[in-house]
Amino acid sequence: MTAYTAVVTVRLKRGVLDPEAETTRQALSRLGFELEELRAADRFEIDLDAESEAAAAERAESMAERLLANPTIHDYAVEIENR
Amino acid sequence: MTVAVIQFGGSNCDRDAVRALDAVGVDAERVWHENGLPDDPSGIVLPGGFSYGDYLRAGAMAGRAPIVEAVRDAARKGVPVLGICNGAQVGCEAGLTPGAFTTNASARFQCEHVHLRVENAETPWTRAFEAREVISLPIAHGEGRFEIGEEELATLDDEDRILFRYCDEDGNVTPAANPNGSTGAVAGLCGEDEHVAVLMPHPERATLPELGGTDGQGVLRAFAE
């Protein structure tokens, strides 16, 4: 078994309105920053032990499918790092 | 025969639901989710509130709680299930109904009375109304914007599974009358079976004349049939 950190990033699908991100963008503009768009995402860092990098990725993807992401509105990405 | 109103940690409309059902002559009791579903409930309410503190996403945790499997089984056997507000979020997260409820377009919590147009008056939830009738119910939510893919929305429409749309007092569905930016102005819908439904507005808060409206009675009467 190898110790990994699975990093799961969950973000809204392109085209799905993100009022929180828009509010944040406006607040940055009010502070005088120049910016065009802002997209927010949730990042989960999951420490786990697995037989292989592929097995770790598979488990993390399953976590994203079953709980961390909502397929109606979200896309997700999984990256595996050695821990 | 008793309706089970399922209480999660953070539910806060469970008592209201029991009182409101009582007001329309339906026996109901609160059921703590960890105690499991009672045998043969006559109906199930997933009440409003902030289950699990809305952690991760509103309804995400409760939608995967063990009792939800029992709710799914009961629904399959024909037991009517109604998710209200947070219960609607739970219902969608659990896959009892399609789509998702997410942050209001305004990015604000909205607590107000809205007008709803009855889209299909042939379901248990809407039988008390006429098709195209305009009713008034309160809303109180921060994550009530219904999101669904275009094709899925068209399917819902074709299958007459949309119960209510946000509208103005004359029944016109307009962007101005859509309080949260819901896709298709959808305020309530059915699952694959019409006896499973979710709505963001609160029928249980509109059952007593003293509280400024009784249109919610018609929805809750589904449990009396």
Side-chain angles (χ1 to χ4, degrees):
Chain A
M1 296 291 249
T2 312
Y4 297 104
T5 297
V7 179
V8 180
T9 306
V10 177
R11 54 170 58 90
L12 286 171
K13 287 178 177 171
R14 278 297 177 118
V16 176
L17 184 71
D18 188 345
E20 292 179 7
E22 175 58 18
T23 304
T24 309
R25 186 193 66 76
Q26 288 172 11
L28 287 169
S29 293
R30 262 201 311 275
L31 289 171
F33 292 104
E34 289 182 17
L35 73 164
E36 295 296 320
E37 290 292 333
L38 181 151
R39 287 172 293 282
D42 288 328
R43 173 188 164 102
F44 302 88
E45 297 176 4
I46 305 162
D47 293 344
L48 48 82
D49 296 330
E51 297 285 352
S52 64
E53 201 173 309
E58 196 179 329
R59 201 185 308 164
E61 276 165 22
S62 183
M63 291 177 189
E65 293 278 338
R66 289 192 53 193
L67 177 65
L68 301 178
N70 180 329
T72 301
I73 51 174
H74 291 137
D75 286 327
Y76 69 88
V78 173
E79 287 167 70
I80 304 295
E81 298 167 0
N82 282 304
R83 170 159 59 92
Chain B
M1 293 289 278
T2 302
V3 171
V5 178
I6 298 176
Q7 185 191 20
F8 296 99
S11 298
N12 66 7
C13 299
D14 41 311
R15 287 168 197 266
D16 307 44
V18 170
R19 286 284 301 275
L21 285 164
D22 185 56
V24 296
V26 175
D27 192 37
E29 64 175 6
R30 287 188 296 151
V31 173
W32 175 241
H33 73 103
E34 286 182 348
N35 293 341
L37 200 61
D39 291 337
D40 301 320
S42 61
I44 297 168
V45 172
L46 301 167
F50 301 84
S51 58
Y52 293 83
D54 280 352
Y55 290 167
L56 191 64
R57 298 179 299 278
M61 304 292 182
R64 289 156 181 83
I67 198 171
V68 169
E69 285 312 310
V71 172
R72 217 187 298 280
D73 287 345
R76 255 182 234 122
K77 289 180 198 154
V79 175
V81 178
L82 177 63
I84 301 168
C85 197
N86 185 228
Q89 297 159 341
V90 172
C92 281
E93 282 284 344
L96 292 168
T97 46
F101 291 102
T102 188
T103 313
N104 294 347
S106 65
R108 292 180 186 187
F109 190 94
Q110 286 176 249
C111 190
E112 59 203 63
H113 276 79
V114 296
H115 291 102
L116 302 170
R117 190 175 75 190
V118 178
E119 299 294 305
N120 175 359
E122 307 291 318
T123 76
W125 315 104
T126 50
R127 210 162 275 153
F129 310 115
E130 303 288 330
R132 316 299 275 186
E133 186 177 340
V134 177
I135 68 168
S136 175
L137 291 180
I139 58 167
H141 58 243
E143 286 93 15
R145 174 169 55 101
F146 185 64
E147 278 289 340
I148 194 164
E150 262 177 49
E151 280 180 28
E152 272 186 291
L153 180 66
T155 304
L156 283 183
D157 236 339
D158 291 346
E159 295 177 352
D160 278 332
R161 286 162 59 186
I162 298 170
L163 296 173
F164 298 105
R165 279 192 160 92
Y166 298 107
C167 66
D168 66 18
E169 61 186 335
D170 299 318
N172 302 307
V173 174
T174 65
N178 186 338
N180 51 30
S182 285
T183 304
V186 173
L189 66 149
C190 291
E192 282 178 20
D193 295 309
E194 65 174 17
H195 63 271
V196 177
V198 298
L199 33 151
M200 279 318 291
H202 284 275
E204 84 285 15
R205 294 189 189 179
T207 53
L208 305 172
E210 298 89 328
L211 298 181
T214 56
D215 285 348
Q217 287 187 2
V219 176
L220 298 182
R221 246 180 239 131
F223 289 111
E225 288 170 4

